[in-house]
Short mmCIF file of all heavy atoms in Angstrom, two decimals:
data_model
loop_
_atom_site.label_atom_id
_atom_site.label_comp_id
_atom_site.label_asym_id
_atom_site.label_seq_id
_atom_site.Cartn_x
_atom_site.Cartn_y
_atom_site.Cartn_z
N PRO A 1 129.17 103.83 157.53
CA PRO A 1 128.59 103.01 156.50
C PRO A 1 129.45 103.08 155.23
O PRO A 1 129.97 104.17 154.89
CB PRO A 1 127.23 103.64 156.22
CG PRO A 1 126.94 104.49 157.42
CD PRO A 1 128.26 104.88 157.96
N ARG A 2 129.58 101.95 154.58
CA ARG A 2 130.31 101.95 153.29
C ARG A 2 129.59 102.80 152.27
O ARG A 2 128.34 102.81 152.25
CB ARG A 2 130.51 100.52 152.77
CG ARG A 2 131.50 99.72 153.59
CD ARG A 2 131.76 98.36 152.95
NE ARG A 2 132.28 98.48 151.60
CZ ARG A 2 133.56 98.79 151.34
NH1 ARG A 2 134.41 99.00 152.35
NH2 ARG A 2 133.97 98.87 150.11
N GLY A 3 130.38 103.48 151.48
CA GLY A 3 129.75 104.29 150.46
C GLY A 3 129.27 105.68 150.95
O GLY A 3 128.54 106.35 150.25
N SER A 4 129.71 106.07 152.15
CA SER A 4 129.23 107.34 152.70
C SER A 4 129.69 108.51 151.91
O SER A 4 129.16 109.57 152.06
CB SER A 4 129.69 107.46 154.14
OG SER A 4 131.13 107.47 154.24
N ASN A 5 130.76 108.38 151.09
CA ASN A 5 131.17 109.54 150.30
C ASN A 5 130.64 109.39 148.83
O ASN A 5 131.08 110.10 147.94
CB ASN A 5 132.69 109.65 150.32
CG ASN A 5 133.39 108.48 149.59
OD1 ASN A 5 132.75 107.49 149.23
ND2 ASN A 5 134.71 108.64 149.40
N GLY A 6 129.80 108.41 148.55
CA GLY A 6 129.17 108.32 147.29
C GLY A 6 129.93 107.62 146.22
O GLY A 6 129.48 107.49 145.08
N ASN A 7 131.08 107.01 146.57
CA ASN A 7 131.83 106.28 145.55
C ASN A 7 131.98 104.82 145.84
O ASN A 7 132.85 104.13 145.34
CB ASN A 7 133.20 106.92 145.35
CG ASN A 7 134.09 106.82 146.56
OD1 ASN A 7 133.68 106.25 147.56
ND2 ASN A 7 135.28 107.46 146.51
N GLY A 8 131.20 104.32 146.79
CA GLY A 8 131.23 102.86 147.05
C GLY A 8 132.23 102.46 148.07
O GLY A 8 132.37 101.26 148.28
N SER A 9 133.00 103.35 148.62
CA SER A 9 133.94 103.02 149.66
C SER A 9 133.97 104.16 150.61
O SER A 9 133.37 105.21 150.42
CB SER A 9 135.35 102.82 149.02
OG SER A 9 135.83 104.01 148.53
N ASP A 10 134.68 103.94 151.70
CA ASP A 10 134.71 104.96 152.77
C ASP A 10 135.42 106.21 152.35
O ASP A 10 135.13 107.32 152.77
CB ASP A 10 135.34 104.39 154.04
CG ASP A 10 135.23 105.36 155.21
OD1 ASP A 10 134.15 105.42 155.73
OD2 ASP A 10 136.24 106.02 155.47
N GLY A 11 136.45 106.06 151.50
CA GLY A 11 137.15 107.25 150.93
C GLY A 11 138.26 107.70 151.75
O GLY A 11 138.95 108.65 151.37
N ILE A 12 138.55 107.19 152.94
CA ILE A 12 139.75 107.52 153.70
C ILE A 12 140.49 106.29 154.07
O ILE A 12 140.00 105.19 154.01
CB ILE A 12 139.37 108.39 154.96
CG1 ILE A 12 138.51 107.53 155.87
CG2 ILE A 12 138.69 109.64 154.58
CD1 ILE A 12 138.32 108.18 157.23
N GLY A 13 141.75 106.44 154.47
CA GLY A 13 142.54 105.29 154.83
C GLY A 13 143.22 104.70 153.63
O GLY A 13 143.22 105.22 152.58
N MET A 14 143.90 103.59 153.86
CA MET A 14 144.66 102.90 152.80
C MET A 14 143.83 101.75 152.25
O MET A 14 142.91 101.30 152.86
CB MET A 14 145.99 102.39 153.43
CG MET A 14 146.86 103.49 154.00
SD MET A 14 148.36 102.85 154.60
CE MET A 14 147.72 101.83 155.97
N PRO A 15 144.29 101.28 151.08
CA PRO A 15 143.56 100.10 150.48
C PRO A 15 143.54 98.98 151.47
O PRO A 15 144.55 98.65 152.12
CB PRO A 15 144.47 99.80 149.28
CG PRO A 15 145.15 101.08 148.91
CD PRO A 15 145.37 101.72 150.22
N GLY A 16 142.33 98.38 151.63
CA GLY A 16 142.18 97.24 152.48
C GLY A 16 141.89 97.64 153.91
O GLY A 16 141.72 96.79 154.76
N SER A 17 141.86 98.94 154.15
CA SER A 17 141.61 99.33 155.58
C SER A 17 140.59 100.53 155.55
O SER A 17 140.74 101.48 156.20
CB SER A 17 142.88 99.74 156.26
OG SER A 17 143.42 100.90 155.63
N ALA A 18 139.57 100.34 154.68
CA ALA A 18 138.52 101.43 154.64
C ALA A 18 138.01 101.67 156.04
O ALA A 18 137.61 100.78 156.70
CB ALA A 18 137.40 100.96 153.68
N GLY A 19 137.97 102.96 156.38
CA GLY A 19 137.49 103.32 157.74
C GLY A 19 138.56 103.66 158.64
O GLY A 19 138.32 103.95 159.82
N THR A 20 139.85 103.80 158.17
CA THR A 20 140.91 104.22 159.11
C THR A 20 140.74 105.72 159.34
O THR A 20 140.12 106.44 158.59
CB THR A 20 142.29 103.93 158.51
OG1 THR A 20 142.32 104.49 157.19
CG2 THR A 20 142.56 102.47 158.46
N ALA A 21 141.36 106.16 160.44
CA ALA A 21 141.06 107.55 160.91
C ALA A 21 141.96 108.59 160.26
O ALA A 21 142.05 109.69 160.77
CB ALA A 21 141.22 107.55 162.39
N TYR A 22 142.69 108.31 159.19
CA TYR A 22 143.50 109.32 158.53
C TYR A 22 143.32 109.26 157.08
O TYR A 22 143.24 108.20 156.49
CB TYR A 22 144.97 109.11 158.90
CG TYR A 22 145.50 107.70 158.74
CD1 TYR A 22 145.89 107.20 157.52
CD2 TYR A 22 145.45 106.86 159.82
CE1 TYR A 22 146.29 105.87 157.42
CE2 TYR A 22 145.85 105.51 159.74
CZ TYR A 22 146.28 105.05 158.50
OH TYR A 22 146.68 103.75 158.37
N PRO A 23 143.14 110.40 156.42
CA PRO A 23 142.97 110.41 154.94
C PRO A 23 144.35 110.20 154.24
O PRO A 23 145.39 110.46 154.86
CB PRO A 23 142.46 111.82 154.68
CG PRO A 23 143.02 112.63 155.79
CD PRO A 23 143.10 111.74 156.97
N ARG A 24 144.28 109.79 153.02
CA ARG A 24 145.49 109.59 152.25
C ARG A 24 145.98 110.86 151.65
O ARG A 24 145.20 111.67 151.22
CB ARG A 24 145.19 108.53 151.13
CG ARG A 24 144.84 107.20 151.64
CD ARG A 24 144.55 106.27 150.49
NE ARG A 24 145.72 106.09 149.62
CZ ARG A 24 145.79 105.21 148.67
NH1 ARG A 24 144.78 104.46 148.39
NH2 ARG A 24 146.88 105.11 147.90
N VAL A 25 147.29 111.05 151.68
CA VAL A 25 147.89 112.16 150.96
C VAL A 25 148.59 111.57 149.76
O VAL A 25 149.59 110.86 149.93
CB VAL A 25 148.89 112.91 151.87
CG1 VAL A 25 149.55 114.05 151.05
CG2 VAL A 25 148.22 113.51 153.06
N SER A 26 148.05 111.79 148.58
CA SER A 26 148.55 111.12 147.41
C SER A 26 149.94 111.46 147.04
O SER A 26 150.37 112.61 147.14
CB SER A 26 147.60 111.36 146.23
OG SER A 26 148.13 110.73 145.07
N ARG A 27 150.73 110.48 146.62
CA ARG A 27 152.04 110.74 146.10
C ARG A 27 152.06 110.63 144.57
O ARG A 27 153.15 110.64 143.98
CB ARG A 27 153.06 109.75 146.71
CG ARG A 27 153.27 109.97 148.19
CD ARG A 27 154.27 109.00 148.73
NE ARG A 27 154.50 109.26 150.17
CZ ARG A 27 155.28 108.48 150.93
NH1 ARG A 27 155.86 107.43 150.42
NH2 ARG A 27 155.39 108.78 152.24
N ASP A 28 150.94 110.48 144.00
CA ASP A 28 150.82 110.42 142.51
C ASP A 28 151.11 111.77 141.96
O ASP A 28 150.51 112.78 142.32
CB ASP A 28 149.41 109.97 142.12
CG ASP A 28 149.26 109.97 140.64
OD1 ASP A 28 149.93 109.18 139.96
OD2 ASP A 28 148.45 110.76 140.13
N PRO A 29 152.11 111.87 141.04
CA PRO A 29 152.49 113.16 140.48
C PRO A 29 151.32 113.96 139.90
O PRO A 29 151.23 115.17 140.05
CB PRO A 29 153.58 112.83 139.49
CG PRO A 29 154.15 111.53 139.91
CD PRO A 29 152.97 110.77 140.49
N LEU A 30 150.47 113.30 139.16
CA LEU A 30 149.34 113.96 138.50
C LEU A 30 148.41 114.56 139.52
O LEU A 30 147.94 115.69 139.43
CB LEU A 30 148.60 113.06 137.56
CG LEU A 30 147.50 113.66 136.79
CD1 LEU A 30 148.00 114.85 135.94
CD2 LEU A 30 146.80 112.63 135.89
N ARG A 31 148.15 113.80 140.60
CA ARG A 31 147.28 114.33 141.67
C ARG A 31 147.91 115.53 142.38
O ARG A 31 147.28 116.49 142.74
CB ARG A 31 146.95 113.25 142.73
CG ARG A 31 145.97 112.20 142.15
CD ARG A 31 145.64 111.17 143.27
NE ARG A 31 144.61 110.26 142.80
CZ ARG A 31 143.32 110.48 142.94
NH1 ARG A 31 142.88 111.55 143.49
NH2 ARG A 31 142.46 109.54 142.50
N GLN A 32 149.23 115.46 142.57
CA GLN A 32 149.95 116.59 143.18
C GLN A 32 149.88 117.78 142.23
O GLN A 32 149.72 118.94 142.73
CB GLN A 32 151.46 116.21 143.41
CG GLN A 32 151.62 115.17 144.50
CD GLN A 32 153.10 114.79 144.66
OE1 GLN A 32 153.95 115.20 143.89
NE2 GLN A 32 153.39 114.04 145.69
N LEU A 33 150.00 117.58 140.95
CA LEU A 33 149.96 118.66 139.97
C LEU A 33 148.63 119.40 140.05
O LEU A 33 148.58 120.65 139.93
CB LEU A 33 150.18 118.07 138.57
CG LEU A 33 150.50 119.09 137.47
CD1 LEU A 33 151.88 119.62 137.63
CD2 LEU A 33 150.37 118.36 136.09
N MET A 34 147.57 118.67 140.28
CA MET A 34 146.19 119.22 140.26
C MET A 34 145.67 119.60 141.61
O MET A 34 144.49 119.93 141.75
CB MET A 34 145.27 118.29 139.53
CG MET A 34 145.71 117.90 138.14
SD MET A 34 145.90 119.33 137.06
CE MET A 34 144.23 119.92 136.93
N SER A 35 146.49 119.56 142.66
CA SER A 35 145.95 119.72 143.98
C SER A 35 145.96 121.18 144.51
O SER A 35 145.50 121.44 145.61
CB SER A 35 146.79 118.87 144.98
OG SER A 35 148.13 119.32 145.03
N GLY A 36 146.55 122.08 143.72
CA GLY A 36 146.61 123.46 144.20
C GLY A 36 145.33 124.20 144.16
O GLY A 36 144.34 123.75 143.55
N THR A 37 145.24 125.31 144.82
CA THR A 37 144.04 126.18 144.87
C THR A 37 144.42 127.54 144.38
O THR A 37 145.44 128.14 144.91
CB THR A 37 143.47 126.26 146.26
OG1 THR A 37 143.11 124.92 146.71
CG2 THR A 37 142.22 127.12 146.24
#
């Protein structure tokens, strides 16, 4: 179902292909900067 992750979209896959079986690994520098644990 759309919005299953609470943000109005499926939350995985690429733009225009909501519901694909692989999550996105962001190449955005800011997201990379904040992705550590």
Side-chain angles (χ1 to χ4, degrees):
R2 290 187 59 78
S4 60
N5 68 350
N7 64 4
S9 66
D10 186 77
I12 62 173
M14 299 180 297
S17 62
T20 52
Y22 46 87
R24 297 178 61 172
V25 178
S26 175
R27 292 181 180 176
D28 176 65
L30 182 57
R31 287 183 176 272
Q32 292 178 351
L33 194 70
M34 302 303 294
S35 65
T37 300

